[in-house]
Amino acid sequence: MASPKLNVVVRETNLPGIHFLNRGKVRDLYDVGGQLLLIATDRLSAFDVVLPTPIPDKGRVLTQLSLFWFNLLHDVIPNHIVTATDFPAELAPYRDQIEGRTMLCKRTNPLPIECVVRGYLSGSGWKDYRATGKICGIALPPGLQESARLPEAIFTPSTKATSGHDENISFDGAVSLIGAELAEKVRSVSLEIYRRAAAYAEPRGIILADTKFEFGLVGNQLIWIDEALTPDSSRFWPAHGYQPGRAQPSYDKQYVRDYLERIGWNKQPPGPELPPDVVAATRGKYREAYRQLTGHELS
Ligand SMILES: Nc1ncnc2c1ncn2[C@@H]1O[C@H](COP(=O)(O)OP(=O)(O)O)[C@@H](O)[C@H]1O
Ligand SMILES: [Mg+2]
């Protein structure tokens, strides 16, 4: 069989005969023999709107980087990966669409919370801190600047909104959604993954400011699911030039956001097409994050 083409750009998959489940903002989901096929497309969302222009290589970066972290941190908690290379025969006709960007996963019951860990003060955390001195009910020292490193990383869960924005909740809020035992478990696992990943990334030039994990259950086994520590689920900041007291340049989407601000888009769907230079720069950023973290170029 001809080897699959890795340079195809996939904005939406089309796998006739394979049981389609759902299209998320970035991933297309299928059921294959009771397992979950998670295909990271090249879609990019900005300000919560999926843009019409795909970013070549983005889906492969998301999947390969997730696989890298799942593997590096497998001793912390089991993850959902079944395979990312040896797909069932019924997928053979679709190798161009799936190769390099796809994980066949254990299908779990996802917990109804997003497990956010913050090591730095940014985004909605910064907003909440400025208004209340707290994030998700956790009191922080007064006088911290935007982007400041926190004395220690904190677990700041949020709801999983099916539409619109996720909402930060207190730890007690998480307890009322999933129970105390599970809430304590995902808190300690999330903090441990964050600490390990942040310590790994920093000497490689990337500050892991914050990140979001998802977990699911199979029976009562807790499993790390979805994507892992990617530019889409995390804030990566270049360590070089880090300076508290202002927002940091985002690693990946800054070109896109700057462009969208420049043209005065009202941030309501549909989003505008991106020009080739913005696409190229964004693609370069995703590839660079992959290279810096793994130590090699995306093939
Ligand atoms: N192993 C798994 N079991 C069940 N659901 C999963 C698993 N891994 C990921 N998911 C779900 O698949 C979806 C991934 O698609 P994505 O495009 O990231 O969606 P979203 O727009 O909600 O972020 C998420 O809803 C996530 O909760
Ligand atoms: Mg997602």
Side-chain angles (χ1 to χ4, degrees):
M1 191 189 297
S3 43
K5 300 188 209 82
L6 286 175
N7 57 353
V8 284
V9 176
V10 174
R11 187 168 188 284
E12 289 192 348
T13 58
N14 176 29
L15 277 46
I18 309 297
H19 180 179
F20 173 79
L21 294 172
N22 190 27
R23 238 186 265 294
K25 284 193 288 288
V26 171
R27 267 153 269 269
D28 288 357
L29 279 64
Y30 294 81
D31 180 303
V32 176
Q35 296 178 319
L36 190 66
L37 193 73
L38 266 189
I39 308 176
T41 69
D42 298 316
R43 295 194 288 272
L44 177 134
S45 72
F47 305 111
D48 274 338
V49 174
V50 179
L51 301 181
T53 318
I55 306 295
D57 293 336
K58 177 174 181 278
R60 289 199 300 133
V61 167
L62 296 183
T63 294
Q64 296 307 316
L65 199 52
S66 292
L67 291 168
F68 169 80
W69 289 116
F70 281 136
N71 182 47
L72 188 77
L73 301 170
H74 73 272
D75 58 314
V76 181
I77 181 175
N79 61 65
H80 67 166
I81 303 298
V82 175
T83 181
T85 48
D86 302 315
F87 298 113
E90 61 196 293
L91 294 171
Y94 306 123
R95 283 181 68 188
D96 286 354
Q97 289 182 68
I98 66 179
E99 199 87 358
R101 65 174 72 249
T102 303
M103 315 186 283
L104 187 64
C105 305
K106 288 182 188 136
R107 198 163 176 180
T108 71
N109 254 325
L111 300 183
I113 61 167
E114 312 255 12
C115 294
V116 178
V117 178
R118 299 169 190 276
Y120 292 76
L121 205 44
S122 183
S124 70
W126 167 239
K127 217 172 107 199
D128 292 354
Y129 171 77
R130 247 188 339 184
T132 67
K134 298 178 185 176
I135 308 178
C136 297
I138 301 171
L140 295 170
L144 294 175
Q145 293 182 297
E146 181 172 15
S147 307
R149 186 185 179 129
L150 298 174
E152 59 179 348
I154 55 174
F155 178 67
T156 60
S158 69
T159 58
K160 227 180 207 175
T162 39
S163 65
H165 295 278
D166 298 333
E167 228 176 277
N168 289 341
I169 53 175
S170 65
F171 185 73
D172 289 345
V175 168
S176 62
L177 286 169
I178 63 174
E181 199 184 326
L182 211 45
E184 274 158 30
K185 173 88 181 162
V186 294
R187 175 172 62 186
S188 76
V189 166
S190 300
L191 288 169
E192 176 65 9
I193 301 174
Y194 173 84
R195 283 190 210 106
R196 291 263 304 263
Y200 175 91
E202 195 169 340
R204 290 166 177 83
I206 293 181
I207 292 174
L208 177 60
D210 54 40
T211 191
K212 179 212 79 178
F213 306 111
E214 291 190 41
F215 299 97
L217 289 172
V218 175
N220 49 24
Q221 190 188 27
L222 188 68
I223 295 178
W224 184 9
I225 66 168
D226 202 55
E227 61 182 326
L229 297 149
T230 73
D232 278 14
S233 65
S234 320
R235 279 194 178 84
F236 288 169
W237 292 339
H240 180 81
Y242 164 70
Q243 198 192 347
R246 56 163 168 81
Q248 307 303 300
S250 122
Y251 210 91
D252 49 319
K253 287 188 193 164
Q254 201 58 43
Y255 289 98
V256 176
R257 295 206 187 108
D258 290 349
Y259 171 75
L260 295 172
E261 301 282 6
R262 202 158 65 232
I263 63 168
W265 173 49
N266 63 5
K267 298 177 188 166
Q268 299 305 310
E273 291 278 357
L274 299 175
D277 60 316
V278 173
V279 171
T282 303
R283 169 177 182 249
K285 281 297 181 187
Y286 275 86
R287 292 185 61 105
E288 190 182 328
Y290 177 85
R291 181 174 45 74
Q292 272 187 267
L293 288 168
T294 65
H296 58 263
E297 203 72 47
L298 184 75
S299 62

